[in-house]
Amino acid sequence: MNPAVPGSPDVSPGSRNRPRRRAALAAATAGLAVLAVGTPVAYATLGASSPSDPRPATAAAVRGKDYVETRLFFGTERPDGGQDVTDRQFLDFVDAEVTPRFPNGLTIQDGRGQWRDSNGVIERERSYELTLLYPASEARVRDPQIERIRNAYEKAYAQDSVARLEERTTADF
């Protein structure tokens, strides 16, 4: 019995609010759990680092210098129906057109490519991927050299195009 009100059950003022407090506490706990689990997913989805991810303390922690990586994709089939570009022809092209412009080195990989031609037909062909890596400070000088390589290949082997992909990166040798 509640001593303050004769004949009433023993209910203290705080005991009536306990179920509500427990429900509010449970809801708050569930909300925090959702946020704790959802935050890393949101950061991963957005491509950003989570605030708790370790970051380099200074720029000195990053190795290497600023470079540009240019990749060129050379097809081997000729749209005019001529004979495909052979390995020997491609390597001769590299010796004549690429090596004089990039004597410090390059990488060549064999590949299989696919693209849609001007008539909407999917074309598949053997290809070469040429990777060039040079200091970012040389980008303005290197750009016209790379364009000359692309144009020379298109002309020599009757190609519609030579694809070019560039990315800024860091490199350490």
Coordinates of all heavy atoms in Angstrom, one line a residue, residues 13-61:
P13 N 6.3 6.8 -7.0 CA 6.2 7.7 -8.3 C 7.1 7.2 -9.4 O 6.7 7.2 -10.5 CB 6.6 9.1 -7.8 CG 6.4 9.1 -6.3 CD 6.6 7.6 -5.9
G14 N 8.3 6.7 -9.1 CA 9.2 6.3 -10.1 C 8.9 4.9 -10.7 O 9.3 4.6 -11.8
S15 N 8.2 4.1 -10.0 CA 7.9 2.7 -10.5 C 7.0 2.7 -11.6 O 7.0 1.8 -12.4 CB 7.4 1.8 -9.3 OG 6.1 2.3 -8.9
R16 N 6.1 3.7 -11.8 CA 5.2 3.8 -12.9 C 5.9 4.0 -14.2 O 5.5 3.6 -15.3 CB 4.1 4.9 -12.7 CG 3.1 4.5 -11.7 CD 2.0 5.6 -11.7 NE 1.1 5.3 -10.6 CZ 0.3 6.2 -10.1 NH1 0.3 7.4 -10.5 NH2 -0.5 5.8 -9.1
N17 N 7.0 4.8 -14.1 CA 7.8 5.1 -15.3 C 8.8 4.1 -15.7 O 9.4 4.2 -16.8 CB 8.4 6.5 -15.1 CG 7.4 7.6 -15.0 OD1 6.3 7.5 -15.6 ND2 7.8 8.6 -14.3
R18 N 9.0 3.1 -14.9 CA 10.1 2.1 -15.2 C 9.9 1.4 -16.5 O 10.8 1.2 -17.3 CB 10.2 1.1 -14.0 CG 11.0 1.7 -12.9 CD 11.3 0.6 -11.8 NE 11.8 1.3 -10.6 CZ 11.4 0.9 -9.4 NH1 10.6 -0.1 -9.2 NH2 11.9 1.6 -8.4
P19 N 8.7 0.9 -16.8 CA 8.5 0.2 -18.1 C 8.8 1.2 -19.3 O 9.4 0.8 -20.3 CB 7.0 -0.2 -18.1 CG 6.6 -0.3 -16.7 CD 7.5 0.8 -16.0
R20 N 8.4 2.4 -19.2 CA 8.7 3.4 -20.2 C 10.2 3.7 -20.4 O 10.7 3.8 -21.5 CB 7.9 4.7 -19.9 CG 6.4 4.6 -20.1 CD 5.8 6.0 -19.9 NE 4.4 5.8 -19.9 CZ 3.6 6.6 -19.2 NH1 4.1 7.7 -18.6 NH2 2.3 6.4 -19.2
R21 N 10.8 3.8 -19.2 CA 12.3 4.0 -19.2 C 13.0 2.8 -19.9 O 13.9 3.0 -20.6 CB 12.8 4.3 -17.8 CG 12.5 5.6 -17.3 CD 13.1 5.8 -16.0 NE 12.6 7.1 -15.4 CZ 12.6 7.3 -14.1 NH1 13.2 6.4 -13.2 NH2 12.2 8.4 -13.6
R22 N 12.6 1.6 -19.5 CA 13.2 0.5 -20.1 C 13.0 0.4 -21.6 O 13.9 0.1 -22.3 CB 12.6 -0.8 -19.4 CG 13.1 -1.0 -18.1 CD 12.6 -2.3 -17.5 NE 13.0 -2.4 -16.1 CZ 12.2 -3.0 -15.2 NH1 11.1 -3.5 -15.5 NH2 12.7 -3.1 -13.9
A23 N 11.8 0.7 -22.1 CA 11.5 0.7 -23.5 C 12.4 1.8 -24.2 O 12.9 1.5 -25.3 CB 10.0 1.0 -23.8
A24 N 12.5 3.0 -23.6 CA 13.3 4.0 -24.2 C 14.8 3.7 -24.2 O 15.4 3.9 -25.2 CB 13.1 5.3 -23.4
L25 N 15.2 3.0 -23.2 CA 16.6 2.6 -23.1 C 16.9 1.5 -24.1 O 17.9 1.5 -24.8 CB 16.9 2.1 -21.7 CG 18.4 1.6 -21.4 CD1 19.3 2.8 -21.7 CD2 18.5 1.1 -20.0
A26 N 16.0 0.6 -24.3 CA 16.1 -0.5 -25.3 C 16.1 0.1 -26.7 O 16.9 -0.3 -27.6 CB 15.0 -1.5 -25.2
A27 N 15.2 1.1 -27.0 CA 15.2 1.7 -28.3 C 16.5 2.5 -28.6 O 17.0 2.4 -29.7 CB 14.0 2.6 -28.4
A28 N 17.0 3.2 -27.6 CA 18.2 3.9 -27.7 C 19.4 3.0 -28.0 O 20.3 3.2 -28.9 CB 18.5 4.8 -26.5
T29 N 19.4 1.9 -27.3 CA 20.5 0.9 -27.5 C 20.4 0.3 -28.9 O 21.5 0.1 -29.5 CB 20.4 -0.2 -26.4 OG1 20.4 0.4 -25.1 CG2 21.5 -1.3 -26.6
A30 N 19.2 0.0 -29.3 CA 19.1 -0.6 -30.7 C 19.5 0.4 -31.7 O 20.2 0.1 -32.7 CB 17.6 -1.0 -30.9
G31 N 19.1 1.7 -31.5 CA 19.5 2.7 -32.5 C 21.0 2.9 -32.5 O 21.6 3.0 -33.6
L32 N 21.7 2.9 -31.4 CA 23.2 3.0 -31.4 C 23.8 1.8 -32.1 O 24.8 1.9 -32.8 CB 23.7 3.1 -29.9 CG 23.4 4.4 -29.3 CD1 23.8 4.4 -27.8 CD2 24.2 5.5 -30.0
A33 N 23.2 0.6 -31.9 CA 23.8 -0.6 -32.5 C 23.7 -0.5 -34.0 O 24.6 -0.8 -34.8 CB 23.0 -1.9 -32.0
V34 N 22.5 0.0 -34.5 CA 22.3 0.2 -36.0 C 23.4 1.2 -36.5 O 24.0 1.0 -37.5 CB 20.9 0.7 -36.3 CG1 20.8 1.1 -37.7 CG2 19.9 -0.5 -36.0
L35 N 23.6 2.3 -35.8 CA 24.6 3.3 -36.2 C 26.0 2.7 -36.2 O 26.7 2.9 -37.1 CB 24.5 4.5 -35.3 CG 23.3 5.4 -35.5 CD1 23.3 6.6 -34.5 CD2 23.3 6.0 -36.9
A36 N 26.3 1.9 -35.2 CA 27.6 1.4 -35.1 C 27.9 0.4 -36.2 O 29.0 0.4 -36.8 CB 27.8 0.7 -33.8
V37 N 26.9 -0.4 -36.6 CA 27.1 -1.3 -37.7 C 27.0 -0.6 -39.1 O 27.7 -0.9 -40.0 CB 26.0 -2.5 -37.6 CG1 26.0 -3.3 -38.9 CG2 26.3 -3.3 -36.4
G38 N 26.1 0.3 -39.2 CA 25.8 1.0 -40.5 C 26.9 2.0 -40.9 O 27.2 2.2 -42.0
T39 N 27.6 2.6 -39.9 CA 28.7 3.6 -40.3 C 29.8 3.0 -41.1 O 30.0 3.6 -42.2 CB 29.3 4.2 -39.0 OG1 28.2 4.8 -38.3 CG2 30.3 5.2 -39.3
P40 N 30.4 1.8 -40.8 CA 31.4 1.3 -41.7 C 30.9 1.0 -43.1 O 31.5 1.2 -44.1 CB 31.9 0.1 -41.0 CG 31.5 0.2 -39.6 CD 30.3 1.1 -39.6
V41 N 29.6 0.5 -43.1 CA 29.0 0.2 -44.4 C 28.8 1.4 -45.2 O 29.1 1.5 -46.4 CB 27.7 -0.6 -44.2 CG1 26.9 -0.7 -45.6 CG2 27.9 -1.9 -43.6
A42 N 28.4 2.5 -44.6 CA 28.2 3.8 -45.3 C 29.5 4.3 -45.8 O 29.6 4.8 -47.0 CB 27.5 4.8 -44.4
Y43 N 30.5 4.2 -45.0 CA 31.8 4.7 -45.5 C 32.4 3.9 -46.6 O 32.9 4.4 -47.6 CB 32.8 4.7 -44.3 CG 32.7 5.9 -43.4 CD1 32.2 5.8 -42.2 CD2 33.2 7.2 -43.9 CE1 32.1 6.9 -41.4 CE2 33.0 8.3 -43.1 CZ 32.5 8.2 -41.8 OH 32.4 9.3 -41.0
A44 N 32.2 2.6 -46.5 CA 32.6 1.7 -47.6 C 31.9 2.0 -48.9 O 32.4 2.0 -50.0 CB 32.5 0.2 -47.2
T45 N 30.6 2.2 -48.8 CA 29.7 2.5 -49.9 C 30.2 3.8 -50.6 O 30.2 3.9 -51.8 CB 28.3 2.5 -49.5 OG1 27.9 1.3 -48.9 CG2 27.4 2.8 -50.7
L46 N 30.5 4.8 -49.8 CA 30.8 6.1 -50.3 C 32.3 6.2 -50.7 O 32.7 7.1 -51.3 CB 30.6 7.2 -49.2 CG 29.1 7.4 -48.9 CD1 29.0 8.3 -47.7 CD2 28.3 7.9 -50.1
G47 N 33.1 5.1 -50.4 CA 34.5 5.1 -50.8 C 35.3 6.0 -49.9 O 36.5 6.3 -50.2
A48 N 34.8 6.4 -48.8 CA 35.6 7.2 -47.9 C 36.2 6.3 -46.7 O 35.7 5.3 -46.5 CB 34.7 8.3 -47.3
S49 N 37.2 6.8 -46.1 CA 37.7 6.1 -45.0 C 36.9 6.3 -43.8 O 36.3 7.4 -43.6 CB 39.1 6.6 -44.7 OG 40.0 6.4 -45.8
S50 N 36.8 5.3 -42.9 CA 36.1 5.4 -41.7 C 36.9 6.4 -40.8 O 38.1 6.4 -40.8 CB 36.0 4.0 -41.0 OG 35.5 4.2 -39.7
P51 N 36.2 7.2 -39.9 CA 36.9 8.1 -39.1 C 37.9 7.3 -38.2 O 38.9 7.9 -37.7 CB 35.9 8.7 -38.2 CG 34.6 8.4 -38.8 CD 34.8 7.2 -39.7
S52 N 37.7 6.1 -37.9 CA 38.6 5.3 -37.0 C 39.8 4.7 -37.8 O 40.7 4.1 -37.1 CB 37.9 4.3 -36.2 OG 37.3 3.3 -37.1
D53 N 39.8 4.8 -39.1 CA 40.9 4.2 -39.9 C 42.2 5.0 -39.6 O 42.2 6.2 -39.6 CB 40.6 4.3 -41.4 CG 39.6 3.3 -41.8 OD1 39.2 2.4 -41.0 OD2 39.2 3.4 -43.0
P54 N 43.3 4.2 -39.4 CA 44.6 4.9 -39.2 C 45.0 5.7 -40.5 O 44.8 5.2 -41.6 CB 45.5 3.8 -38.9 CG 44.9 2.6 -39.4 CD 43.4 2.8 -39.4
R55 N 45.5 6.8 -40.3 CA 46.0 7.6 -41.5 C 47.4 8.0 -41.2 O 47.9 8.1 -40.1 CB 45.2 8.9 -41.6 CG 43.7 8.6 -41.9 CD 43.0 9.8 -42.1 NE 41.6 9.4 -42.3 CZ 40.7 10.1 -43.0 NH1 41.0 11.3 -43.5 NH2 39.5 9.7 -43.1
P56 N 48.2 8.2 -42.3 CA 49.6 8.6 -42.1 C 49.6 9.9 -41.4 O 48.8 10.8 -41.6 CB 50.1 8.7 -43.5 CG 49.1 8.2 -44.5 CD 47.8 8.0 -43.7
A57 N 50.6 10.0 -40.4 CA 50.7 11.2 -39.6 C 51.1 12.4 -40.4 O 50.7 13.5 -40.2 CB 51.6 10.9 -38.5
T58 N 52.0 12.1 -41.4 CA 52.5 13.2 -42.2 C 52.7 12.7 -43.7 O 52.6 11.6 -44.0 CB 53.9 13.7 -41.8 OG1 54.8 12.6 -42.0 CG2 53.9 14.1 -40.3
A59 N 52.9 13.7 -44.6 CA 53.1 13.3 -46.0 C 54.3 12.5 -46.2 O 54.5 11.8 -47.1 CB 53.1 14.6 -46.8
A60 N 55.3 12.6 -45.3 CA 56.5 11.9 -45.4 C 56.3 10.4 -45.3 O 57.2 9.6 -45.7 CB 57.5 12.4 -44.3
A61 N 55.2 10.0 -44.7 CA 54.9 8.5 -44.5 C 54.6 7.9 -45.9 O 54.7 6.7 -46.0 CB 53.7 8.3 -43.6

